[in-house]
């Protein structure tokens, strides 16, 4: 072999050895600390960073976003192991309390609130603390030991020790708080009536998701304040969401995916009662009102002529305060009660469909000894509009007796018909809920049980 080729081979071999040596050195540098040393370094990091925010930290803690909402907590840590804390767990006040915290080493680094404070309200398992019967003995499923997972754009990332082993468990993010956050924490409570809603802006409430030019709509179902949990549904799906309050809106979990964006922060608009989360490139999600139903179901088919008998009924007092009753509905019922003697009131409005003897009829039942009044109707289906039309076919009483019912009855027998929808929620009793909405979209909607 010629000398020049031997020389080239030696140069290449030398370079390969050089690069291999560099690579080995880099690998060794990555593992130049033992696991204990790395945990101690992370502990020191957390100890230092907790003290770096002058006004402390804020976290909206969703303990279980499959059945519970979020609770805002403010923390201000001191170097001697004390933490000042406030939260919006109680819906009347946001007092500050001081307690102890510690940063502990185990298989990972943990922030532990070692003596009782506001965060412990979420882990109280006493029977009285349970928000629902299913959570008796479990409380709000909260924790007071948070496993530290590092930082992301100035935010501290934790997971609750109770759910850390669940791959679907939510992160708990601490963001730097401001003095305004402490001053405004009690304003979270002012948002509660807006989340509950009052239907003053429309008979129906829905979630509208827009991804550029594509729009999808859902019904936004009644919201439960004690759990801070709600849902939005269409014909095929029921999606639960936990809700946390803020002074100017709400934050939800899980976030709503719009295209490739995740939207979770909704701003309240007092002009129309809506909550809107805005992304980029035309992406948005809005909880809003309309007199037109957001979802029109095929449930009317089960009440059509020729089907078996079905009965649905509004029953006071169980359904009197139902959020799914529209303002117009409530006003008409109040008007009836105001026109009755003090000892009497409207007890029930029920529609009997397809009775084998009497066909279809509307019954008005009263408390206080007043006789039941019945309005017989004929029925037809408008397949195009997905409605059932009830048409007058005579009353059991004379015009003077039925006059007090005429305005409410006119909504049920309007010529445009009724939308009928089986709802995903229940109220007081376990009976299925059906809502009947005036298809003329004038703002009438009444809530009934399947009887």
């Amino acid at each position: 072999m010629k000398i020049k080729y031997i020389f080239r081979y030696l140069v290449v071999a030398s370079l390969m050895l050089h690069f291999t040596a560099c690579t080995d050195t880099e690998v060794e540098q990555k593992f130049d600390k033992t696991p204990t040393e790395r945990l101690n370094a992370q502990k020191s990091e957390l100890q230092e960073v907790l003290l770096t925010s002058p006004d402390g930290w804020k976290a909206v803690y969703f303990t279980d976003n499959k059945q519970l909402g979020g609770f805002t907590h403010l923390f201000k840590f001191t170097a001697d192991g004390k933490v000042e804390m406030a939260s919006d767990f109680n819906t009347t006040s946001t007092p500050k309390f001081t307690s102890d915290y510690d940063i502990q080493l185990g298989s990972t680094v943990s922030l532990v609130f070692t003596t009782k404070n506001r965060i412990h309200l979420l882990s109280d398992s006493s029977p009285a603390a349970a928000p629902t019967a299913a959570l008796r003995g479990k409380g709000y499923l909260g924790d007071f030991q948070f496993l530290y997972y590092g930082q992301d754009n100035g935010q501290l990332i934790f997971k609750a020790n109770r759910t850390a082993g669940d791959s679907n468990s939510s992160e708990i993010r601490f963001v730097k708080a401001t003095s305004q956050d402490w001053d405004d924490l009690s304003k979270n409570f002012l948002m509660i009536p807006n989340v509950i809603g009052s239907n003053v802006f429309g008979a129906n409430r829905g979630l509208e998701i827009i991804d550029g030019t594509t729009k999808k709509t859902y019904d936004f179902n009644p919201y439960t304040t004690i759990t801070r949990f709600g849902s939005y549904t269409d014909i095929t799906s029921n999606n639960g969401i936990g809700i946390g309050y803020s002074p100017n809106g709400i934050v939800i979990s899980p976030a709503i995916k719009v295209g490739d964006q995740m939207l979770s922060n909704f701003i309240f608009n007092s002009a129309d009662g809506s909550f809107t989360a805005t992304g980029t490139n035309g992406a948005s999600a809005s909880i809003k009102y309309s007199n037109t139903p957001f979802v029109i179901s095929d449930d009317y088919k089960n009440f059509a002529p020729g089907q078996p008998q079905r009965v649905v009924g509004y029953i006071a007092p169980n359904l009197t305060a139902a959020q799914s009753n529209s303002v117009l509905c409530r006003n008409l019922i109040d008007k009836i009660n105001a026109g009755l003697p003090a000892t009497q009131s409207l007890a029930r409005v029920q529609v009997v469909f397809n009775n084998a003897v009497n066909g279809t009829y509307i019954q008005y039942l009263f408390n206080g000894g007043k006789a039941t009044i019945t309005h017989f109707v004929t029925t037809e289906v408008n397949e195009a509009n997905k409605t059932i039309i009830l048409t007058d076919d005579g009353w059991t009483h004379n015009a003077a007796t039925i006059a007090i019912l005429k305005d409410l009855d006119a909504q049920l027998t309007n010529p445009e018909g009724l939308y009928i929808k089986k709802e995903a929620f229940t109220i007081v009793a376990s009976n299925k809920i059906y809502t009947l909405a005036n298809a003329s979209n004038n703002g009438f909607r009444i809530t009934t049980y399947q009887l």
Side-chain angles (χ1 to χ4, degrees):
M1 183 179 289
K2 293 183 180 180
I3 297 296
K4 64 178 180 179
Y5 292 124
I6 295 174
F7 178 74
R8 288 178 183 173
Y9 292 143
L10 290 173
V11 170
V12 171
S14 176
L15 288 172
M16 290 178 66
L17 287 170
H18 174 72
F19 288 133
T20 302
C22 290
T23 303
D24 290 344
T25 301
E26 289 171 0
V27 171
E28 289 172 3
Q29 288 174 347
K30 290 180 181 178
F31 294 95
D32 62 350
K33 293 181 179 179
T34 66
T36 300
E37 289 172 333
R38 287 196 297 274
L39 284 174
N40 283 325
Q42 195 174 33
K43 178 181 179 180
S44 298
E45 173 191 309
L46 181 56
Q47 285 175 326
E48 293 173 5
V49 75
L50 287 176
L51 306 177
T52 59
S53 180
D55 294 297
W57 300 86
K58 179 173 73 172
V60 183
Y61 182 16
F62 289 87
T63 59
D64 183 347
N65 63 12
K66 297 179 181 64
Q67 57 184 318
L68 295 166
F71 300 85
T72 300
H73 287 73
L74 295 171
F75 312 94
K76 190 170 183 180
F77 300 91
T78 61
D80 61 353
K82 300 294 183 182
V83 56
E84 186 177 45
M85 192 185 308
S87 82
D88 68 352
F89 178 82
N90 295 320
T91 57
T92 54
S93 62
T94 56
K96 300 175 185 177
F97 294 92
T98 300
S99 60
D100 298 322
Y101 77 94
D102 192 16
I103 298 174
Q104 298 179 359
L105 290 179
S107 58
T108 186
V109 175
S110 299
L111 170 62
V112 185
F113 297 98
T114 54
T115 57
K116 193 172 183 179
N117 208 318
R118 311 311 289 168
I119 197 75
H120 293 81
L121 294 171
L122 297 176
S123 58
D124 184 354
S125 60
S126 63
T132 66
L135 291 173
R136 188 157 300 173
K138 301 176 182 178
Y140 282 82
L141 302 176
D143 204 348
F144 47 86
Q145 179 178 6
F146 297 154
L147 309 185
Y148 180 53
Y149 284 81
Q151 302 181 48
D152 178 30
N153 293 323
Q155 300 180 6
L156 309 184
I157 313 302
F158 297 92
K159 280 192 175 184
N161 182 58
R162 181 183 63 83
T163 57
D166 182 354
S167 60
N168 295 317
S169 66
S170 300
E171 291 179 341
I172 305 162
R173 287 183 170 247
F174 283 28
V175 301
K176 287 187 176 181
T178 66
S179 60
Q180 196 70 41
D181 288 325
W182 292 87
D183 293 340
D184 288 350
L185 184 59
S186 62
K187 294 181 180 178
N188 288 8
F189 306 143
L190 302 178
M191 200 54 56
I192 297 174
N194 302 322
V195 179
I196 295 172
S198 63
N199 289 340
V200 295
F201 299 103
N204 303 281
R205 200 178 194 192
L207 172 68
E208 182 179 87
I209 298 175
I210 298 176
D211 183 9
T213 58
T214 302
K215 180 170 72 173
K216 187 165 180 57
T217 56
Y218 301 82
D219 280 336
F220 185 80
N221 298 318
Y223 167 78
T224 305
T225 54
I226 192 169
T227 58
R228 302 191 182 185
F229 197 76
S231 64
Y232 57 97
T233 58
D234 61 9
I235 300 300
T236 60
S237 65
N238 182 13
N239 309 278
I241 51 170
I243 293 177
Y245 310 126
S246 71
N248 63 350
I250 58 175
V251 57
I252 70 166
S253 180
I256 293 173
K257 187 175 183 180
V258 185
D260 59 355
Q261 301 178 58
M262 303 299 289
L263 304 182
S264 59
N265 291 293
F266 288 68
I267 305 302
F268 178 65
N269 182 347
S270 60
D272 61 8
S274 66
F275 291 86
T276 300
T278 304
T280 59
N281 300 320
S284 67
S286 297
I287 300 168
K288 58 197 302 187
Y289 292 94
S290 172
N291 277 333
T292 303
F294 287 85
V295 176
I296 299 175
S297 78
D298 289 330
D299 294 327
Y300 72 97
K301 293 180 178 180
N302 296 322
F303 299 84
Q307 294 296 314
Q309 174 176 300
R310 289 177 183 267
V311 183
V312 295
Y314 164 88
I315 299 178
N318 285 20
L319 300 176
T320 301
Q323 296 174 38
S324 44
N325 291 327
S326 69
V327 171
L328 177 57
C329 173
R330 290 195 291 268
N331 288 343
L332 292 176
I333 291 173
D334 288 345
K335 183 179 178 181
I336 291 170
N337 288 329
L340 292 170
T343 57
Q344 297 178 350
S345 62
L346 184 66
R348 181 179 299 200
V349 179
Q350 68 182 26
V351 186
V352 179
F353 290 90
N354 305 314
N355 178 266
V357 176
N358 295 311
T360 297
Y361 51 94
I362 307 168
Q363 284 187 307
Y364 299 92
L365 291 79
F366 301 88
N367 297 312
K370 184 177 177 63
T372 297
I373 299 174
T374 301
H375 186 188
F376 296 101
V377 295
T378 60
T379 61
E380 63 177 301
V381 169
N382 185 324
E383 296 284 0
N385 294 337
K386 297 188 175 183
T387 60
I388 285 214
I389 301 170
L390 308 182
T391 304
D392 172 48
D393 196 32
W395 292 75
T396 56
H397 290 69
N398 60 34
T401 303
I402 67 176
I404 195 172
L405 301 172
K406 293 292 282 187
D407 289 344
L408 177 59
D409 191 82
Q411 299 301 324
L412 297 172
T413 59
N414 79 92
E416 298 295 325
L418 297 170
Y419 298 116
I420 301 179
K421 182 175 183 291
K422 182 172 67 175
E423 302 292 352
F425 54 88
T426 58
I427 301 173
V428 182
S430 60
N431 300 55
K432 293 177 181 176
I433 294 289
Y434 282 86
T435 52
L436 282 58
N438 189 321
S440 65
N441 299 324
N442 68 349
F444 177 84
R445 182 165 118 154
I446 190 169
T447 306
T448 66
Y449 288 126
Q450 177 178 301
L451 302 174

